[in-house]
Amino acid sequence: TVGSSTAFFGSSISITLVGILLNSFVIAIVVFVFVNDGIRSALWSYRIYVLSYGVSFVAKSFVLQPYVFHKYASDGLHKRRHALFMMCDIGWMAYNLIIGFTVALLRACYYVLYAVVAVAFLDFSVLPDQFKAYDTAHKAFLATVWSHHRHHSPLVHVAADAIKHGRDPARPPLSRAAKRWHLAYTLIHNPTLKP
């Protein structure tokens, strides 16, 4: 029988301990999610997936395993009904394959969508504010815009012209009204210079 093997008994104890540790880890994550607003808002967008996974996990753990597997298929150490035991085993394997494939597919779709948006739009970062420093494409775009503004700013050009050519002695100095007119004209055509 299955219960006479010490290897099976030891492996079932170790699997039980791993399950207890995983359940404790899941409970810690759930508590952390309800405390942290950012993660809670991110999970809210995946609420249908999380809800369906939670319902299926509860049904498997609290209905199928205690009432079907342990009551009818096995008593913990001995197989009572071999066919039902194998159906439960294969069913759980299929369930885990489906959940694993769905999670992998959703992650792949999410990363492809992120990559398309991140490549197509460089003027904003698709990452949250605390992770924008890691978006190298967005940082490179901002550096390009900043250096273009720094080298092509009207103030820089006027200052460079004034330094290069100096004041022409043959040209009379501008009146106060002319200076104000030039300032107003510059501000109208360059709205970024307005305070």
Side-chain angles (χ1 to χ4, degrees), residues 25-175:
F25 182 66
V26 166
I27 289 170
I29 287 178
V30 167
V31 169
F32 179 71
V33 163
F34 282 113
V35 170
N36 193 333
D37 288 337
I39 296 176
R40 189 172 53 224
S41 64
L43 281 181
W44 181 247
S45 59
Y46 295 106
R47 60 188 173 272
I48 294 174
Y49 174 73
V50 171
L51 183 67
S52 63
Y53 180 74
V55 167
S56 62
F57 179 77
V58 166
K60 181 184 89 129
S61 298
F62 297 109
V63 177
L64 289 176
Q65 190 165 354
Y67 294 113
V68 176
F69 185 70
H70 287 302
K71 197 169 187 183
Y72 295 108
S74 151
D75 63 358
L77 295 175
H78 299 86
K79 292 182 194 174
R80 288 186 180 167
R81 293 178 177 87
H82 183 71
L84 187 58
F85 184 87
M86 293 309 293
M87 281 177 48
C88 288
D89 200 23
I90 291 171
W92 285 333
M93 184 177 66
Y95 166 79
N96 288 328
L97 284 174
I98 290 169
I99 292 295
F101 179 75
T102 306
V103 169
L105 186 66
L106 283 175
R107 284 180 183 169
C109 292
Y110 177 75
Y111 291 136
V112 165
L113 181 67
Y114 164 75
V116 167
V117 171
V119 166
F121 302 103
L122 296 177
D123 55 337
F124 69 93
S125 177
V126 294
L127 294 177
D129 289 337
Q130 61 265 29
F131 298 118
K132 280 186 180 179
Y134 300 112
D135 193 353
T136 54
H138 179 64
K139 281 175 39 179
F141 174 77
L142 289 181
T144 305
V145 169
W146 181 79
S147 62
H148 180 271
H149 173 72
R150 183 177 176 190
H151 294 294
H152 293 81
S153 171
L155 295 175
V156 171
H157 283 283
V158 169
D161 256 355
I163 291 171
K164 180 179 177 184
H165 300 297
R167 192 173 163 282
D168 188 8
R171 190 170 150 190
L174 293 175
S175 67

